[in-house]
Amino acid sequence: MTATLLATKRVEKPWGRHDLWPGFANPAPDAPPIGEIWFQTPDAGKPELLIKYLFPGERLSVQDHPTDAEAQKAGFPRGKDECWVILDAEPGATIAMGTKEPTTREALRQGAEDGSIVDMLDWKPVKAGDFLYCPAGTIHAIGGGITLVETQQNVDLTYRLYDYGSDRELHLDDGLAVADPNPITPQPIVGEVGEGRTILVEGPKFVLERWAGGDREVTLPDGVTAWLTPLKGAGVADGVAWRAGECVTVTGTAHIYAEAGSDILFAYPGDRRI
């Protein structure tokens, strides 16, 4: 078994914030805001998954991502399913996923060109503890005032459809070609499968578990890597110490100890739990 403490990458964004999450140092008041924190392996482009925190202070762009097959046609290794665990949300904070009602790509193009696409989306209120799964092809936008952890297929491939009049590049042709112009049915949480062990999602691209504190031994299939992301607390994975604000990858058979009161996300690729 190998446990590896990952490097932390702080990403400055104009839409980011100066108030981060416990475990992370806030930027100085006169420094650029931080929008994202990524956890990276030395070969950052190769692992199947990527874990990151997001700190949007305002609405992010309306966007979507391709499926594996669509991404591979464009020369990328995989598409992007992603999901979000909401850690904190200001009153009235929302996330949009899918459209309010069935529409067409032609109508979405018109909406992207005149800005009305924002009102075509299904904006839902979110609060701490919520979980949302966003399949490839889903048109979505994350609202401001939210702190979340994103688990995603590891690919830098986002199609921006609308960005509130900014000068950033849009990708209407590519984005609309892969867009699902329909409402989506939220994927339910699988639920608790053992003491202190809840399955948030089980496939199709990855499994995400949420653990409380305690002792565990996990055995991963050959060639499979898991990402342990502590939201609260501290512990040890086969001799590698970790705490909230860090992320550790594990392979093989691992003994993992988490102190009482810990809150941990444990993600690995695949469509079924280990």
Side-chain angles (χ1 to χ4, degrees):
M1 178 271 171
T2 301
T4 304
L5 185 65
L6 299 187
T8 299
K9 178 180 179 180
R10 294 164 68 94
V11 183
E12 297 174 354
K13 295 285 187 179
W15 46 259
R17 303 204 310 264
H18 288 82
D19 58 317
L20 305 184
W21 183 249
F24 301 110
N26 291 334
D30 58 347
I34 298 296
E36 302 178 356
I37 291 179
W38 298 19
F39 299 105
Q40 295 186 312
T41 62
D43 51 351
K46 293 183 179 179
E48 291 187 52
L49 300 183
L50 174 66
I51 312 296
K52 54 185 173 181
Y53 284 72
L54 272 67
F55 309 101
E58 57 190 59
R59 280 184 176 180
L60 305 190
S61 62
V62 176
Q63 57 187 243
D64 63 11
H65 311 288
T67 63
D68 288 351
E70 292 161 340
Q72 288 160 5
K73 288 179 184 177
F76 292 84
R78 61 187 67 86
K80 189 193 289 188
D81 278 26
E82 58 191 350
C83 67
W84 307 303
V85 174
I86 309 300
L87 302 180
D88 189 38
E90 295 177 358
T94 56
I95 289 179
M97 288 178 55
T99 57
K100 291 178 182 175
E101 57 188 31
T103 185
T104 65
R105 291 183 174 86
E106 291 74 21
L108 287 168
R109 179 181 292 274
Q110 180 62 43
E113 291 173 346
D114 65 19
S116 63
I117 192 171
V118 174
D119 296 321
M120 299 170 71
L121 301 183
D122 186 13
W123 292 89
K124 297 291 191 185
V126 294
K127 63 184 184 305
D130 285 349
F131 172 76
L132 298 90
Y133 189 91
C134 187
T138 303
I139 301 173
H140 61 278
I142 297 173
I146 299 171
T147 300
L148 61 84
V149 175
E150 178 175 285
T151 301
Q152 62 162 86
Q153 288 182 277
N154 183 21
V155 65
D156 186 12
L157 184 52
T158 295
Y159 296 139
R160 250 186 318 274
L161 304 177
Y162 180 71
D163 200 25
Y164 313 98
S166 82
D167 59 1
R168 291 202 301 173
E169 180 184 6
L170 300 180
H171 316 92
L172 282 182
D173 290 341
D174 290 334
L176 291 173
V178 305
D180 181 351
N182 297 293
I184 71 163
T185 300
Q187 187 160 328
I189 292 175
V190 176
E192 190 170 5
V193 296
E195 185 176 355
R197 182 189 183 193
T198 296
I199 308 295
L200 297 178
V201 66
E202 194 168 22
K205 301 303 178 182
F206 51 81
V207 178
L208 182 61
E209 305 192 14
R210 193 165 189 172
W211 297 347
D215 277 292
R216 290 177 175 80
E217 185 167 290
V218 299
T219 299
L220 295 154
D222 289 344
V224 173
T225 297
W227 282 256
L228 185 153
T229 309
L231 309 178
K232 292 193 302 184
V236 179
D238 275 8
V240 176
W242 49 260
R243 60 176 178 77
E246 297 179 333
C247 185
V248 174
T249 56
V250 296
T251 58
T253 297
H255 177 257
I256 298 171
Y257 165 75
E259 67 183 16
S262 294
D263 185 6
I264 300 164
L265 298 179
F266 191 73
Y268 45 93
D271 61 359
R272 65 192 64 190
R273 74 196 74 162
I274 58 174

